[in-house]
Amino acid sequence: MKLRICHLYPRELNIYADRGNIAVFRRRSAWRGIDCEVSEAGLGDSIDPDAHDLFYLGGGQDRDQALVAPDLVATKGDALHRAAGSGAVVLAVCGGYQLAGHCYTASDGSTLAGIGLLDVDTVAGADRLIGDLALEVELDGESRRVVGYENHAGRTRLGPGARPLGRVIAGAGNDGESGFEGARRDRVVGTYLHGPLLPKNPWLADRLISWALRRRTGRDPELEPLLDDLEAKARQVAVGRAGRRSG
Ligand code: GLN
C-alpha cells in the first residue's frame, strides 16, 4: 500500500506552516507501515492526474496567490478536474481554497480566476477574520469537532454544487455570517483552517488518507488506531481559545 501525494506550489503556498499537513500524512502513514511518496509540482510543472491520489494546496497571501493563480489554471486545472472526477482527494487551505473555487476578488478590486473545482466564490471584505476556530464536521456518517486557526480577508460564498465542510461552533468561518466553514464536493475539501490543520485533527487526517488509499485499491483500508494523546491536548487548547473568542 502506498499513499501518493502531490504537493502543489510548496514554495509559494506555505503560510502558517501549512507544509506541516504533509508531515502529518507522512508520519501517520509511516507509523502504520504505509509507504508515503510526496512529489512536488511548482510553477510551470504539469501534473499527471493518475500518478497521485491526494493533491494538496496550501495557503498564501494575495501576492502569492497572484503568482500561482494563472499557472494553476493553465498547467494544472484540467488535470485536477480529471483527478477529482476519478476519486482523488484534494485538500485546499485558505488561499488554496479560494483558488480551488471560481475566483478570488482581492481588496484592491483585482480578480484572480480559480479552477472551479469547488462551487465557491470569494471576495475580500474590509477587515480580516482572525483567530481560533472550532467546527462540527460530518464525514462518512461520523461527526467530529475540528479545530484550527483562521486569518483571511476573503468572504467565501458557496454555490449549489458545494456543501460546507462544517458548521462553525466558535469563530468566523467562510464569511462570518453563514455559520459555515469550508466547502466540499466528493473528496475535494476546502477550508480556512491553518495551524497547520492536520496535527490537531488526526481524525480528519486519517479520513483523507483512507479516501486516497481507497481510490488506489478500490476498498476501504483498515487504518490501525494510533495513540493521539498529544494531538488531543493540542485540540483542547484550541477549543478553549476558540470558545473564549466567541464569548
Ligand atoms: N488572500 C487570502 C485572504 O486574506 C488568503 C489568506 C491566507 O491564505 N491566509 O483572504
Side-chain angles (χ1 to χ4, degrees):
M1 228 173 0
K2 194 178 213 176
L3 179 63
R4 294 176 172 83
I5 298 177
C6 181
H7 187 178
L8 301 163
Y9 308 107
R11 273 160 293 281
E12 294 81 8
L13 299 181
N14 180 37
I15 205 168
Y16 296 117
D18 281 340
R19 181 188 290 271
N21 292 321
I22 296 289
V24 169
F25 287 132
R26 281 188 195 277
R27 271 301 178 156
R28 296 187 76 78
S29 302
W31 281 330
R32 294 165 164 132
I34 300 169
D35 268 356
C36 176
E37 176 191 278
V38 181
S39 313
E40 298 191 345
L43 292 170
D45 296 336
S46 57
I47 50 175
D48 176 351
D50 301 316
H52 318 279
D53 301 311
L54 195 159
F55 293 83
Y56 175 64
L57 202 51
Q61 305 197 29
D62 288 14
R63 63 170 180 277
D64 307 313
Q65 288 175 282
L67 200 64
V68 306
D71 187 82
L72 181 66
V73 172
T75 69
K76 299 173 183 65
D78 289 348
L80 285 169
H81 274 274
R82 284 209 299 282
S86 64
V89 180
V90 180
L91 173 64
V93 174
C94 201
Y97 167 36
Q98 295 169 350
L99 295 181
H102 300 297
C103 60
Y104 171 58
T105 303
S107 40
D108 65 4
S110 60
T111 294
L112 296 172
I115 52 174
L117 207 51
L118 287 168
D119 184 15
V120 304
D121 258 323
T122 305
V123 178
D127 57 347
R128 301 190 69 80
L129 305 171
I130 305 173
D132 288 272
L133 182 59
L135 326 174
E136 196 64 34
V137 172
E138 198 202 303
L139 297 174
D140 299 336
E142 266 182 52
S143 206
R144 293 290 168 91
R145 194 155 291 195
V146 168
V147 296
Y149 184 81
E150 62 181 328
N151 182 354
H152 52 107
R155 269 59 169 174
T156 300
R157 309 270 164 176
L158 273 56
R163 55 189 157 142
L165 172 64
R167 203 173 42 80
V168 174
I169 296 169
N174 278 336
D175 56 5
E177 290 169 7
S178 62
F180 295 128
E181 202 289 315
R184 260 191 81 195
R185 199 198 69 188
D186 303 320
R187 293 177 193 163
V188 180
V189 173
T191 179
Y192 274 113
L193 292 173
H194 294 284
L197 163 72
L198 297 177
K200 288 186 201 130
N201 297 292
W203 169 78
L204 179 59
D206 284 354
R207 288 260 57 81
L208 300 174
I209 293 171
S210 296
W211 289 353
L213 294 174
R214 192 203 294 172
R215 184 210 190 198
R216 185 68 42 178
T217 62
R219 58 195 164 76
D220 275 326
E222 288 283 326
L223 289 188
E224 210 180 296
L226 300 173
L227 188 67
D228 287 324
D229 291 14
L230 274 176
E231 289 82 349
K233 283 186 186 148
R235 290 165 57 71
Q236 268 170 18
V237 172
V239 168
R241 278 198 301 220
R244 285 195 290 283
R245 181 179 174 202
S246 64

